């Protein structure tokens, strides 16, 4: 039997890896992938809690998270594509016309 | 027994997640991400969340990641150029951020380990099956389920507006 | 296999505003195919949809009504917010007409996205379930990401969309983690059940719950753009098309506040010792950062972005105070703020030129003699934003401050009042330019009748709410 | 009933302002002036009707309240939009509308041919509206609306000549400095609300002695906050710097807003809140000393100025100081009395200076004036009368009001306050006559190309009326014998204060809180009205005023030609030299140190010190804002980092 805390630790670790990815990477697509890691990490927590509580709410929640992830991916990649047409790069550091 | 499957799966997922962050080329990152998601599907399956495990494979690995790969190839991002690599490298920042993240992680771990865990309730055999999830979805959570369709429709419209080639 | 019986709590009538809007949003999508280049029909249908949706919010007369397994509620708060959302979306659409013609945005999807976004806002304000709130936030955000980037050929618009999207998704991660932890520790996603679980001490792990609460503050803090999670606001507001900026500053923000208010006051009232302190820090920081940031700005949209950040700080005080006056003051502030913002942005749109030009403060030099009435309205809006009587902004601020004072938050009120004094510095800057500087260039204002109509309505409302706020307050107090 | 006409009084100027603001451009100058003046005249006449109505009130009723509508309700918080007519507000309304009307008439002449004539009158009418709200409101919030409103109009009117950068800066400065005061005022209002649960005057003042402990910290904080608000609006130390700069506005504005009405709003507010101030002896002391200090300080600066309007501005600051001195020693009648007489003579002086500036085609520097009394006889006569009044020469109005202030400063205050007051009186006589002599007497230093002419009738008529009022205004309060003081009898219901019962309540409150009440018996000793002391003080201050005038005469009429004689007549050198030495000695020992000292005071305290603080605060905020910009780097990564850092910070706070 795997205790709940193990799942939660795995979830926290993956979440923080995702956060670090967002903070250090400059490739917009990789940053986006790091955000996906974060969402997946949360799913682990949800499902672990679900098992622990003997409920299905968490699984429904994670189902919705997947929907949202799919929606975000389609819009996010569309944004990256439309941006790429004007300026062929995905380096986030080149996108700071607006500052201060 | 379960622990024996859990640790390799968890380690595998963490390593691949790190791979996503560390990998220089976007394609490599994407491949690592797919691997990680498959690993997580295994972890879900361990918790008897079979339906979600399958969705994880179908939606994430099957749909979302394909979209990622597709866009990477469309934009032809090789990410191997020396210029790009030097841009990506910023050791000090990375180390600082990693320390920050480790600090937070430490705190969270601290909190998690404090939990006084009772042994979890024995779950029914039907737990996590498509039938049960489906019933929950269509009774207690019918509204979120329907609202999700609005979300997807809006996202679809949005993606089309932004990405279609012909501007009218 | 046994048939699944539909639960009794399904109540489509209470969902009427959402249903009406969904139908109209899709109708707009379809109509757009036949409408050709003239979007008048599309606009008309959108406005009708919003109007009908607002009316259908009154379908339930015995409030509150809980439905869908207690995850959706029609109460006075949500009805008021639905009015606010439909009104602000309608004003945003009216503002867009002239702008879209000038900037060549000829997509009918623009309008349906605004409608979809409004659906998200309504769901956000009426949901009492974390899953629903999450979905609502995502609908709103996704529509806004697209709307911010809808000027596809413009690099600023692209950048705005990209920044908003990446940071928004990042913040969503935090919000989601927070929700997961709250669910896990209390065993439910329903706000009322969470409150009951906390009340009965039925919580797995208090520290984990508190961690979840902090994560929720981060996530909501981003959505309402409070410091230090506000950094995206100026960039996104500046880069997004001007009507979208006005739209963003009112509706989605109010919706996020509605959800924030529900989550913190309905489900976590027993933990107020924790989040109250956190929110006080956030509120103070937000006011100070917003005001200091605005002082040095030269771009009007950016200046208003920072100013909106500082307003978030004031509104957070209502959440912190959480008494009966606070609820009313939150609603009133949102309404007053909506009119002020649409008024100001209407004038900004009229002053603007093709390609998002003419947005610097210097461009407003000499407006006072060229178009005295326009300048006078702008002055009224700015003074109202600063909180000068007898405009709506003053009454709104006074309400929130007295709500906070009633809870004994004297220090917070002092800081807030001091901040609103500082804020005059930059509002005055625009007024000084309008009245007291020589024009740098020829002033060319596109006085489109529809935009003028929006500005006039906003002006009347700003003054009306300042002098006779009572009916609205009575409404908000129920 | 006549009293029901009350709401019309502020309505007329509002309507006038709206008409002029929206249609002024099409109406043309004549009609704009007519509408604006007629609006104020109508509200003046209505005030008289209301006054009559008030006099007809049955015995024992001292206030009339007209509620127009409910403004805000929030829980138990209830604010009506209501006007309160009582003895105090009637006095204020009468002179605000009366003087306001005269100044409107004058402005039609003065502003003739200005660039945007209608805008000026729209603002001026709007100002009248706000000022009337301020004095007529029946609760603190209405007063606050008026308070902000007058500030706003003042800002627009100061910046009226917006082509001039100095005018814009002055306008902004006035607004920002005023905001500091307003901020304190608003806090006080909220504090009052949190204690009394209401902000209606009648209810607050009625409950005050029962809820507040005499000399307790609550009432002290409230009154101090109110007083800070008053210092902002009434240009007292330390928030006075905006008023001299405000002279960038057109002269009628200076007369109406920055001399007669708006700047006295602070005094009005203190008098209005006298039931609170009476309970806070510590605050009263602060008020008295700030008032006396400002009176003296501003007078010394007045001696060094050469701009005719700036001299008058400092003089205004100084005279308002007297009013606060009177408030501070509890002589509220004296404060109002001086406010009224000051409105007459200071409005006359400002309008007179406007007439001079008009006649000299825009010249404001006194060094380029001189000997124009023949060219502007009416202006000269009215100006002289008003100057005599402000200097305190009997039997003009200023004499009575100032003496009443000084008498109370001595009997109810202490000798230091009186000393400061009487020194300021000496300086006042000196610098005012310096002004008169430099402007109207002596050698003409006027630019020869300028043709000096008397102003048109529409400008001189108000001058004559105001000078007349400045002459006879003192009759309102013939001070010598108790019971003859009209104004005192009139205001009695408003400023009546039962100290004994207040102390009784306080003892009760302290007792309930388990604390011991201090000994208060010495406060209850009745003071005799000493007629002979008052007569002596009158004589003394007359002598002081005459001394001041004489000094001014010596230095600004006699002395300037001495150096000329010196150079041209070698043969009479010794005699002249001896004579000169006396003057020289006098000059070196007394005048120069004083003038230099006050110059130093002005430069250091005013320009560098207080101005510096105001500008410094602005600069510090600007600096922070500038540094803060660096965070807003435009990089997504940095923004994300801030989200994470914010998360960590909140985590540390929460857990």
């Amino acid at each position: 039997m795997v205790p709940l805390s193990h799942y939660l630790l795995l979830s926290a670790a993956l979440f923080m890896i995702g956060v670090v990815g967002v903070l250090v990477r400059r490739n917009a697509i990789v940053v986006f992938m790091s955000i996906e890691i974060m969402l997946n990490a949360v799913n682990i927590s949800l499902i672990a809690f679900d098992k622990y509580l003997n409920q299905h709410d968490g699984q429904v929640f994670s189902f919705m998270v997947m929907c949202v992830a799919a929606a975000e991916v389609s819009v996010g990649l569309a944004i990256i594509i439309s941006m790429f047409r004007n300026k062929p790069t995905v380096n986030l550091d080149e996108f700071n016309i607006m500052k201060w | 027994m379960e622990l024996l499957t859990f640790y390799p799966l968890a380690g595998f997922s963490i390593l691949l997640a790190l791979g996503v962050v560390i990998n220089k080329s976007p394609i490599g990152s994407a491949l690592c991400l797919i691997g990680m998601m498959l690993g997580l599907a295994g972890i879900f399956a361990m918790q008897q969340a079979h339906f979600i495990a399958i969705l994880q494979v179908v939606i994430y690995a099957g749909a979302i990641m394909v979209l990622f790969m597709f866009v990477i190839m469309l934009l032809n991002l090789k990410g191997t150029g020396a210029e790009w690599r030097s841009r990506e490298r910023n050791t000090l920042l990375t180390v600082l951020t990693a320390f920050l993240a480790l600090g937070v992680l430490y705190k969270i771990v601290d909190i998690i380990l404090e939990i006084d865990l009772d042994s979890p309730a024995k779950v029914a055999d039907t737990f996590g099956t498509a039938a049960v999830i489906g019933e929950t979805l269509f009774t207690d959570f019918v509204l979120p389920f329907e609202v999700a369709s609005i979300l997807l429709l809006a996202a679809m419209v949005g993606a089309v507006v932004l990405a279609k080639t012909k501007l009218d | 296999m046994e048939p699944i019986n539909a639960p009794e709590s399904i109540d489509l009538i209470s969902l009427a505003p959402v249903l009406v809007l969904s139908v109209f949003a899709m109708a707009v999508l379809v109509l757009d195919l036949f409408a050709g280049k003239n979007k008048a029909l599309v606009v008309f249908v959108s406005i009708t949809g919003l109007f009908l949706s607002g009316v259908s919010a009154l379908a339930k007369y015995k409030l509150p009504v809980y439905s869908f397994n207690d995850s959706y509620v029609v109460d006075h708060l949500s009805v008021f917010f639905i009015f606010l959302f439909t009104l602000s979306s309608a004003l945003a659409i009216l503002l867009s007409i002239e702008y879209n013609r000038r900037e060549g945005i000829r997509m009918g999807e623009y309008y349906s996205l605004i409608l979809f976004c409004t659906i998200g806002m309504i769901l956000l304000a009426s949901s009492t379930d974390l899953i629903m709130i999450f979905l609502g936030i995502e609908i709103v955000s996704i529509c806004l990401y697209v709307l911010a980037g809808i000027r596809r050929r413009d690099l600023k618009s692209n950048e705005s969309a990209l920044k908003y999207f990446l940071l928004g998704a990042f913040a969503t991660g935090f919000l989601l983690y927070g929700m997961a932890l709250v669910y896990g520790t209390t065993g439910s996603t329903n706000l009322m059940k969470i409150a009951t679980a906390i009340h009965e001490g039925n919580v797995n792990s208090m520290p984990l719950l508190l961690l979840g609460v902090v994560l929720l503050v981060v996530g909501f803090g981003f959505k309402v753009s409070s410091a230090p999670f506000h950094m995206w606001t100026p960039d996104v507001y500046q880069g997004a098309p001007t009507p979208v900026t006005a739209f963003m500053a009112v509706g989605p923000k109010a919706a996020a506040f509605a959800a924030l208010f529900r989550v913190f006051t309905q489900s976590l009232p027993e933990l107020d010792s924790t989040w109250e302190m956190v929110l006080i820090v956030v509120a103070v920081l937000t006011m100070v950062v917003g005001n200091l940031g605005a002082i040095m700005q030269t771009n009007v949209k950016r200046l208003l972005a920072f100013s909106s950040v500082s307003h978030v700080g004031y509104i957070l005080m209502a959440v912190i105070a959480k008494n009966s006056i606070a609820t009313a003051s939150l609603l009133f502030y949102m309404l007053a703020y909506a009119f002020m913002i649409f008024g100001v942005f209407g004038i900004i749109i009229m002053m603007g030129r093709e390609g998002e030009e003419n947005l610097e403060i210097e461009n407003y030099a000499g407006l006072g003699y060229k178009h005295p009435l326009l300048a006078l309205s702008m002055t009224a809006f700015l003074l109202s934003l600063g909180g000068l009587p007898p405009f709506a902004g003053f009454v709104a601020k006074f309400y929130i401050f007295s709500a906070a004072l009633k809870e004994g938050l004297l220090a917070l009120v002092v800081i807030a009042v001091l901040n609103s004094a500082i804020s005059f510095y930059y509002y005055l800057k625009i007024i000084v330019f309008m009245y007291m500087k020589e024009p740098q260039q020829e002033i060319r204002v596109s006085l489109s009748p529809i935009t003028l109509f929006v500005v006039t309505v906003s002006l009347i409302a700003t003054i009306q709410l300042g002098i006779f706020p009572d009916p609205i307050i009575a409404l908000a107090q129920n | 009933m006549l009293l029901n006409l009350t709401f019309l009084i502020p309505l007329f100027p509002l309507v006038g302002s709206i008409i002029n603001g929206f249609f002024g451009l099409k109406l043309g100058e004549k009609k704009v002036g007519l509408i604006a003046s007629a609006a104020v005249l109508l509200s003046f006449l209505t005030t008289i009707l209301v006054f009559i109505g008030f006099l007809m009130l049955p015995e024992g009723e001292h206030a009339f309240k007209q509620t127009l509508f409910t403004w805000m309700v929030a829980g138990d918080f209830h604010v009506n939009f209501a006007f309160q007519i009582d003895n105090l507000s009637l006095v204020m309304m009468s002179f605000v509308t009366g003087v306001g009307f005269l100044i409107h008439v004058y402005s039609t002449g003065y502003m003739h041919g200005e660039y945007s004539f209608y805008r000026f009158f729209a603002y001026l009418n709007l100002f009248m509206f706000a000022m009337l709200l301020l004095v007529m409101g029946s609760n603190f919030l209405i007063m606050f609306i008026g308070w902000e409103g007058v500030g706003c109009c003042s800002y627009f009117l100061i910046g009226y000549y917006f082509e001039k950068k100095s005018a814009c800066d002055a306008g902004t400065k006035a607004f920002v400095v005023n905001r500091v005061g307003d901020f304190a005022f608003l806090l006080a209002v909220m504090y009052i609300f949190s204690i009394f649960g209401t902000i209606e005057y009648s209810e607050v003042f009625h409950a005050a002695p029962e809820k507040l402990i005499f000399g307790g910290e609550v009432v002290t904080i409230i009154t101090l906050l109110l007083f800070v608000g008053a210092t902002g609006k009434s240009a007292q130390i330390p928030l006075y710097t905006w008023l001299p700069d405000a002279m960038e506005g057109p002269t009628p504005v200076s007369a109406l807003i920055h001399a007669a009405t708006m700047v006295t709003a602070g005094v009005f507010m203190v008098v209005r809140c006298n039931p609170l101030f009476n309970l806070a002896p510590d605050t009263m002391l602060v008020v008295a000393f700030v008032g006396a200090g400002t009176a003296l300080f501003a007078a010394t600066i007045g001696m060094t100025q050469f701009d005719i309007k700036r001299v008058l501005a400092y003089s205004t600051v100084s005279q308002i100081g007297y009013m606060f001195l009177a408030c501070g020693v509890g002589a509220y009648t004296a404060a109002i009395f001086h406010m009224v007489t000051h409105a007459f003579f200071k409005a006359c002086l400002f309008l007179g200076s406007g007439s001079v500036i008009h006649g000299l085609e825009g010249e404001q520097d006194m060094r380029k004036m001189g000997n124009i009394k023949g060219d502007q006889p009416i202006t000269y006569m009215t100006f002289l009368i008003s100057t005599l009044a402000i200097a305190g020469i009997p039997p003009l109005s200023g004499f009575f009001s100032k003496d009443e202030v000084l008498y109370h400063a001595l009997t109810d205050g202490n000798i230091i306050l009186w000393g400061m007051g009487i020194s300021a009186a000496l300086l006042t006589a000196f610098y005012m006559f310096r002004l008169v002599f430099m402007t109207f007497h002596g050698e003409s230093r006027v630019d020869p190309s300028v043709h000096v002419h008397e102003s048109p009738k529409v400008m001189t008529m108000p001058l004559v009326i105001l000078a007349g009022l400045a002459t006879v205004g003192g009759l309102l309060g013939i001070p010598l014998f108790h019971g003859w003081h009209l104004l005192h009898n009139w205001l009695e219901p408003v400023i009546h204060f039962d100290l004994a019962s207040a102390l009784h309540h306080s003892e009760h409150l302290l007792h309930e809180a388990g604390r011991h009440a201090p000994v208060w018996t010495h406060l209850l000793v009745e003071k005799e009205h000493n007629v002979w002391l008052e007569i002596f003080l009158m004589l003394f201050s007359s002598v002081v005023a005459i001394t001041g005038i004489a000094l001014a005469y010596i230095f600004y009429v006699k002395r300037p030609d001495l150096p000329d004689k010196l150079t041209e007549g070698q043969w009479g050198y010794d005699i002249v030299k001896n004579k000169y030495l006396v003057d020289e000695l006098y000059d070196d020992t007394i005048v120069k140190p004083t003038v230099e000292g006050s110059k130093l005071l002005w430069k250091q305290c005013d320009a560098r010190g207080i101005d510096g603080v105001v500008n410094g605060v602005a600069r510090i905020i600007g600096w922070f804002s500038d540094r803060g910009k660096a965070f807003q780097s435009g990089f997504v990564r940095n923004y994300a980092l801030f989200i994470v850092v914010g998360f960590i910070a909140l985590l540390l706070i929460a857990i």
Side-chain angles (χ1 to χ4, degrees), chain D residues 321-458:
Chain D
Y322 274 115
M323 298 172 207
F324 276 110
L325 170 59
C327 291
V329 295
Y332 300 107
T333 313
I336 295 290
F337 188 20
H338 197 56
M339 183 197 291
V340 174
T341 59
H342 174 255
F344 294 152
F345 57 68
K346 187 51 69 64
C348 184
L349 285 171
F350 262 114
L351 296 184
S353 76
S355 175
V356 169
I357 295 166
H358 196 76
L360 294 175
E361 293 171 8
E363 187 54 62
Q364 297 199 11
D365 193 331
M366 297 196 297
R367 282 167 297 195
K368 293 182 183 155
M369 297 177 183
N371 202 23
I372 56 169
K373 61 176 188 280
D375 300 313
Q376 293 196 315
I378 304 174
T379 306
Y380 172 64
M381 277 314 293
T382 53
F383 204 92
L384 188 63
I385 290 171
S386 303
T387 312
L388 287 169
I390 194 177
I393 300 296
L396 299 169
S397 59
F399 168 75
F400 290 108
S401 57
K402 191 183 283 180
D403 274 319
E404 197 175 329
V405 174
L406 289 174
Y407 169 75
H408 284 287
L410 186 60
T411 55
D412 298 332
N414 56 44
I415 189 110
I416 301 171
L417 291 173
W418 179 78
M420 288 163 92
I422 196 82
S423 322
L426 175 69
L427 296 178
T428 307
F430 178 76
Y431 70 73
M432 282 313 297
F433 271 88
R434 167 176 175 267
L435 175 63
V436 169
F437 292 139
M438 281 184 82
T439 310
F440 293 101
H441 291 262
E443 290 276 304
S444 175
R445 297 174 297 275
V446 181
D447 189 346
S449 67
V450 173
H451 169 66
V452 186
H453 57 87
E454 182 59 290
S455 303
K457 233 189 185 129
V458 71

Side-chain angles (χ1 to χ4, degrees), chain A residues 6-68:
Chain A
H6 279 48
Y7 289 111
L8 295 185
L9 289 179
L10 174 64
S11 157
L14 283 179
F15 189 83
M16 288 322 292
I17 290 173
V19 169
V20 171
V22 173
L23 294 186
V24 299
R25 293 303 299 257
R26 286 149 208 220
N27 186 324
I29 295 183
V30 178
V31 168
F32 194 12
M33 287 185 207
S34 305
I35 292 173
E36 290 300 324
I37 297 180
M38 289 164 67
L39 296 185
N40 267 294
V42 176
N43 275 356
I44 300 175
S45 287
L46 280 172
I47 286 173
F49 279 128
D50 229 17
K51 173 88 181 300
Y52 178 74
L53 298 163
N54 191 13
Q55 289 175 339
H56 291 100
D57 302 23
Q59 300 194 29
V60 173
F61 206 154
S62 64
F63 175 75
M64 296 302 160
V65 173
M66 284 181 194
C67 279
V68 165

